[in-house]
Amino acid sequence: MKPYAFRFQFLTNTLVGSFLGFRSLLLGICLVFSVTVSWAQQSPVSREQLEKEKKENLQRIKEAQRILSETSSRRESSIGQLNAINEQIQARESLIQSISQELELLATQINELGGVIVALEEDLVNLKEEYAHMVYATSKTSNSYNRLTFLFSAETFNQLFRRIKYMQQYSQARKNQVNQIQKVRETLINQRETIESKRLEQQVLLDQQVIANQDLIALKTKQRALIRDLSQKEKQLRKEVAKRRNDVQRLERLIAKLIKEEIEESAKNKTENAVALNTSKEELSTSFASKKSKLLWPVNSGFISQRFGNNPHPVMKNILVPNDGVDIQTNQNAQVKAVFDGVVIAITPIPGPGNSKAIIMQHGEYFTVYSRLKDVNVRKGQAVRAEEPVGMVYTDSDGISALQFQIWHNQQKLNPEPWLQRR
């Protein structure tokens, strides 16, 4: 092979090598991108969702602690205290689960980033070797005489033109190789910084997990002690359950009677309370039904301490406590608000001791009941808008401030929990 033909072939090989180096860089960048996409696609829960859940659980813990402090000021042991502690335990367990999921997510990301860094380091070594070969080859043909000799030894004009183009491409290939090396270096630095940042986040989460576990252990110890104290008052607790059943039955009959009378009165006179809200009964019913899972909460803060239906007693085994709605344990003097536009059809005293009251509001074919109020801000027949205050929650002798909230569809009791928006 002629010397210049050899150089021509060498230039061709160098350009091919440069292309392979560029391909290597491209593969490295694609790998970084694919890892980022995989975090979004493979993870069942995103970091943003887990952070949101953490904030929600921390808010639940804060509210339950405030309610517990108020309840504890009245007596040493009560069901209200136990409800607040149980709520804190559930929130702590959810918080720990969110932290664990976030730690798993970070561990996966760190492992994948480690693989990216290894691949980028290999690319950098390969690119540097290719560049060294190019520099070495250039040094052999660096003087003007050799370049001119190489060009003018061409046998045809077309061959001369191709050699000029190859020399231009060779010069550009060297510049590209330098740019590729710099890009890989920058990407590698960024990935190393990212992995270090995620390791710091991981350590913060581990610290949070340790504190949350310690708090959970302390709460469960307090829960066991409270249950032990309450168990010694079984006779008193049984009386309270019997009274609760009696009160629930009496209130249920009263609400059913008032709703039935309102339905009959509306049918008899062909009048609709919904007129006060400038809408028809059918439209109001449809609008209320569309709000399932989106209804406002009747109080700003608090938690569901007793759910719809028959609930296991928190202390006594094999004892069920009935509920026609949900009990929302909240702060003393908490303001109670209407959950939807409606009309007040009744304000009635609640059967049993105490001076608490109940408000019944109509929303077309639907009715909402706000029970255990100490003060009422509305009157019968008044049109009320959503979020408008209707009263203030009642606090019993045990220091428990719990609103009883019910939803009825005509004369059918509904579980209010699926209707309320997630908090």
Side-chain angles (χ1 to χ4, degrees):
M1 181 182 290
K2 293 180 181 180
Y4 297 114
F6 173 78
R7 288 175 187 169
F8 181 83
Q9 184 63 41
F10 178 78
L11 284 169
T12 305
N13 292 339
T14 303
L15 289 168
V16 171
S18 177
F19 169 74
L20 292 175
F22 176 73
R23 187 181 68 175
S24 177
L25 172 65
L26 206 59
L27 288 172
I29 293 172
C30 289
L31 180 59
V32 173
F33 178 74
S34 67
V35 167
T36 305
V37 172
S38 71
W39 293 344
Q41 293 179 343
Q42 294 176 8
S43 302
V45 185
S46 66
R47 282 290 301 278
E48 290 75 14
Q49 179 62 30
L50 291 172
E51 286 294 332
K52 182 182 176 184
E53 289 177 5
K54 278 169 59 181
K55 288 180 181 178
E56 289 173 352
N57 286 315
L58 287 170
Q59 182 62 30
R60 284 176 61 192
I61 292 166
K62 185 178 178 180
E63 288 182 359
Q65 181 56 47
R66 186 167 58 246
I67 292 167
L68 176 61
S69 299
E70 291 180 355
T71 309
S72 301
S73 65
R74 294 296 183 92
R75 55 190 291 186
E76 291 184 2
S77 301
S78 70
I79 296 297
Q81 287 182 47
L82 185 57
N83 289 338
I85 289 174
N86 289 341
E87 171 68 8
Q88 285 194 70
I89 288 173
Q90 290 176 14
R92 285 283 175 198
E93 288 174 342
S94 296
L95 176 64
I96 291 168
Q97 183 179 5
S98 295
I99 292 173
S100 297
Q101 286 180 293
E102 203 167 353
L103 282 168
E104 289 175 7
L105 194 59
L106 273 174
T108 300
Q109 292 176 357
I110 288 170
N111 287 337
E112 290 179 347
L113 279 170
V116 170
I117 288 172
V118 169
L120 286 171
E121 287 172 342
E122 291 176 355
D123 286 345
L124 190 58
V125 170
N126 292 334
L127 286 169
K128 285 180 178 179
E129 288 178 355
E130 290 167 4
Y131 185 69
H133 289 312
M134 293 175 72
V135 171
Y136 178 74
T138 304
S139 66
K140 289 188 173 182
T141 58
S142 59
N143 61 70
S144 299
Y145 175 77
N146 286 338
R147 286 198 296 270
L148 288 173
T149 304
F150 171 68
L151 289 173
F152 289 110
S153 65
E155 295 176 357
T156 65
F157 178 78
N158 285 338
Q159 191 180 56
L160 173 65
F161 178 75
R162 286 199 303 273
R163 290 187 179 187
I164 292 172
K165 292 297 293 181
Y166 271 116
M167 289 186 70
Q168 291 174 343
Q169 291 172 5
Y170 181 70
S171 176
Q172 185 61 42
R174 283 186 60 191
K175 293 178 183 178
N176 290 342
Q177 196 79 350
V178 172
N179 291 334
Q180 290 166 21
I181 290 171
Q182 186 59 32
K183 286 179 181 178
V184 171
R185 278 177 178 162
E186 290 172 358
T187 306
L188 191 55
I189 289 169
N190 290 336
Q191 294 305 306
R192 283 173 176 161
E193 288 175 352
T194 301
I195 200 170
E196 185 60 30
S197 172
K198 290 191 177 296
R199 281 176 178 151
L200 290 174
E201 290 177 30
Q202 192 178 43
Q203 187 57 52
V204 170
L205 284 171
L206 285 168
D207 293 340
Q208 290 178 0
Q209 189 179 49
V210 169
I211 293 170
N213 277 313
Q214 290 172 345
D215 290 342
L216 182 61
I217 291 169
L219 280 169
K220 287 189 173 181
T221 302
K222 194 172 184 179
Q223 179 194 49
R224 287 192 295 270
L226 193 55
I227 290 174
R228 187 169 57 250
D229 291 345
L230 289 169
S231 298
Q232 296 173 2
K233 304 173 184 178
E234 185 174 342
K235 188 175 180 180
Q236 178 185 338
L237 291 175
R238 287 186 180 276
K239 286 182 180 180
E240 290 176 358
V241 171
K243 174 183 170 300
R244 166 82 184 207
R245 286 201 186 101
N246 186 46
D247 291 346
V248 167
Q249 290 173 358
R250 291 169 64 188
L251 183 61
E252 179 189 8
R253 289 195 295 269
L254 177 60
I255 293 170
K257 177 176 176 290
L258 291 169
I259 291 175
K260 182 181 178 182
E261 289 174 355
E262 182 62 32
I263 293 171
E264 290 174 350
E265 186 68 23
S266 296
K268 179 181 177 181
N269 298 327
K270 295 184 180 180
T271 60
E272 298 176 351
N273 283 331
V275 171
L277 293 164
N278 298 318
T279 184
S280 69
K281 183 177 179 180
E282 290 74 17
E283 288 174 335
L284 202 56
S285 299
T286 302
S287 182
F288 187 92
S290 70
K291 286 291 184 179
K292 190 168 185 179
S293 79
K294 301 174 185 175
L295 274 183
L296 299 167
W297 277 58
V299 287
N300 287 332
S301 63
F303 60 91
I304 294 177
S305 58
Q306 192 175 87
R307 289 180 157 76
F308 179 79
N310 290 318
N311 297 267
H313 194 277
V315 177
M316 296 183 294
K317 295 180 179 180
N318 303 320
I319 299 294
L320 298 177
V321 182
N323 198 342
D324 289 336
V326 291
D327 288 6
I328 303 175
Q329 196 165 326
T330 185
N331 302 111
Q332 294 178 18
N333 301 320
Q335 195 176 67
V336 179
K337 303 176 296 183
V339 299
F340 196 75
D341 297 349
V343 176
V344 178
I345 64 166
I347 300 171
T348 180
I350 294 178
N355 298 317
S356 64
K357 303 176 182 66
I359 296 173
I360 305 175
M361 288 183 60
Q362 184 175 12
H363 319 274
E365 296 178 350
Y366 290 89
F367 300 84
T368 54
V369 181
Y370 310 80
S371 181
R372 297 184 198 148
L373 304 178
K374 72 172 182 179
D375 293 321
V376 173
N377 302 336
V378 292
R379 65 184 184 280
K380 183 178 178 180
Q382 179 179 338
V384 180
R385 294 292 179 182
E387 294 191 82
E388 189 174 336
V390 297
M392 189 177 292
V393 72
Y394 172 80
T395 302
D396 65 16
S397 58
D398 289 338
I400 302 172
S401 306
L403 172 73
Q404 220 246 348
F405 177 67
Q406 300 182 23
I407 298 179
W408 293 59
H409 183 211
N410 288 325
Q411 292 185 283
Q412 178 188 3
K413 291 175 288 185
L414 303 177
N415 180 2
E417 197 167 352
W419 287 80
L420 298 171
Q421 60 185 231
R422 188 175 181 271
R423 295 182 66 175

